[in-house]
Amino acid sequence: MTDNNNKEMVVLLHGIFRSKLDMHFLNNLFAKNGYSTLNILYPSREQNLEDLSDFVHDKIINSPDYTENTTLNFVTHSMGGLITRYYIARRKPKYLGKVVMLGPPNTGSEFADWLSETKVLAPIFKTVFGPAGQQMTTHYAHIDGDITYPLGIIAGNLSINPLAPWVLHGEHDGIVPVERTKIEGMTDHIVMSATHSFMMFNAEVMEQALHFLKHSTFKRDDSKKS
C-alpha cells in the first residue's frame, strides 16, 4: 500500500438552488490553513441524490490535486450534506477524513413536506426543485449506511423566512428544524445564531467548521453541547 503523503483535500458542496460561490469564503479559509480544496458546482435541480453523488465522484477523481491516496474531507451546506452521505455510502473512499455539515436536512424538513403535499404548490415544487427536492421530505428513506466517520453538524436557529412559523416547530433556521439536522452516529452537534441561507458566510460558523476539521470537535463548553 502506498503511503498517504498527499495534502488533505476539502470537498465543498453547496445546497440546492445555490452555487459554488456560496462556499467561496470557506474555500479560502481552508486553503489558507493548508488544505487542498475542491469547490464543486453541481446540477442540484436536475438529478437525484444518487446521480449527484456520481457527478461529485467524477469531479473528485478528475481533480488535479487528487490521487488514490488523498484524504477526503467534506464541508457542505444543506442538501450538499445528503449528497455527501450518499457519496460515502456508495463509494467508500479509501481515505476518508472528516465531514462538516451546515444546516443539513438529515431527516428531511417539514418545509419540503408542506411544499410537496400542498395541492397548489406540489407541481411547482416538483418542477422547480427537481428529483432531489423530493428526497428532502421527512418520510423519504435514504439508502446510505451507518455514520462511522467523524461528523460535525452546525445548525442555525435564526429565520428570515416569513412562512416558517406556520410550517416549522421548535428551533429552526427558517428551512430546517434543528432536530432534523441531527443523525445517529454524529460526532458533535452545535446550534449557532445563523440563518439557513447565509450561515456559510458567518465568520463564527466558518471558524467552527475549520476547528472540527482540525480537532474532530467544535470549540465550546461541553455544558452547552446539544
Side-chain angles (χ1 to χ4, degrees):
M1 180 181 294
T2 304
D3 289 338
N4 183 19
N5 293 320
N6 294 309
K7 181 186 293 185
E8 291 192 35
M9 175 182 286
V10 178
V11 179
L12 298 106
L13 296 175
H14 60 83
I16 195 168
F17 250 110
R18 308 303 290 258
S19 80
K20 61 186 291 184
L21 292 176
D22 289 351
M23 312 301 280
H24 175 73
F25 293 111
L26 280 163
N27 184 87
N28 288 350
L29 177 65
F30 301 142
K32 289 178 182 178
N33 280 271
Y35 293 95
S36 169
T37 61
L38 179 61
N39 189 3
I40 298 176
L41 174 66
Y42 64 90
S44 62
R45 299 167 52 211
E46 298 174 14
Q47 300 175 0
N48 60 27
L49 294 174
E50 291 87 346
D51 291 341
L52 289 172
S53 71
D54 290 339
F55 182 95
V56 167
H57 177 69
D58 289 340
K59 291 292 185 180
I60 291 173
I61 63 174
N62 287 302
S63 168
D65 291 331
Y66 175 81
T67 76
E68 64 176 9
N69 295 317
T70 296
T71 296
L72 294 177
N73 303 280
F74 292 83
V75 176
T76 69
H77 175 237
S78 195
M79 193 180 77
L82 299 183
I83 296 171
T84 298
R85 284 169 51 191
Y86 274 60
Y87 176 83
I88 293 171
R90 301 176 77 223
R91 295 292 178 173
K92 297 177 172 57
K94 183 178 180 181
Y95 295 108
L96 179 61
K98 304 176 182 71
V99 178
V100 181
M101 298 180 180
L102 314 182
N106 274 319
T107 59
S109 171
E110 284 79 4
F111 210 81
D113 292 348
W114 179 69
L115 289 171
S116 65
E117 295 169 4
T118 302
K119 186 175 181 180
V120 175
L121 297 176
I124 300 172
F125 177 65
K126 185 174 182 180
T127 299
V128 173
F129 283 83
Q134 316 306 307
Q135 294 174 289
M136 290 190 289
T137 58
T138 61
H139 49 76
Y140 189 84
H142 293 289
I143 65 168
D144 59 335
D146 295 335
I147 306 299
T148 58
Y149 44 89
L151 170 60
I153 297 172
I154 300 176
N157 65 359
L158 297 181
S159 173
I160 56 173
N161 182 356
L163 297 176
W166 284 269
V167 180
L168 305 177
H169 303 287
E171 282 191 297
H172 58 79
D173 61 9
I175 299 294
V176 182
V178 167
E179 287 302 311
R180 291 206 171 276
T181 65
K182 299 177 180 178
I183 189 171
E184 185 176 354
M186 63 185 179
T187 307
D188 201 357
H189 184 278
I190 190 170
V191 180
M192 303 189 69
S193 297
T195 65
H196 186 83
S197 298
F198 301 107
M199 64 171 58
M200 70 291 280
F201 305 124
N202 184 305
E204 293 182 355
V205 170
M206 291 193 290
E207 287 297 330
Q208 287 285 16
L210 177 63
H211 193 274
F212 190 90
L213 287 183
K214 291 182 175 180
H215 305 288
S216 297
T217 186
F218 293 122
K219 186 178 181 180
R220 60 171 178 183
D221 295 334
D222 289 341
S223 61
K224 296 181 181 178
K225 191 172 181 179
S226 60

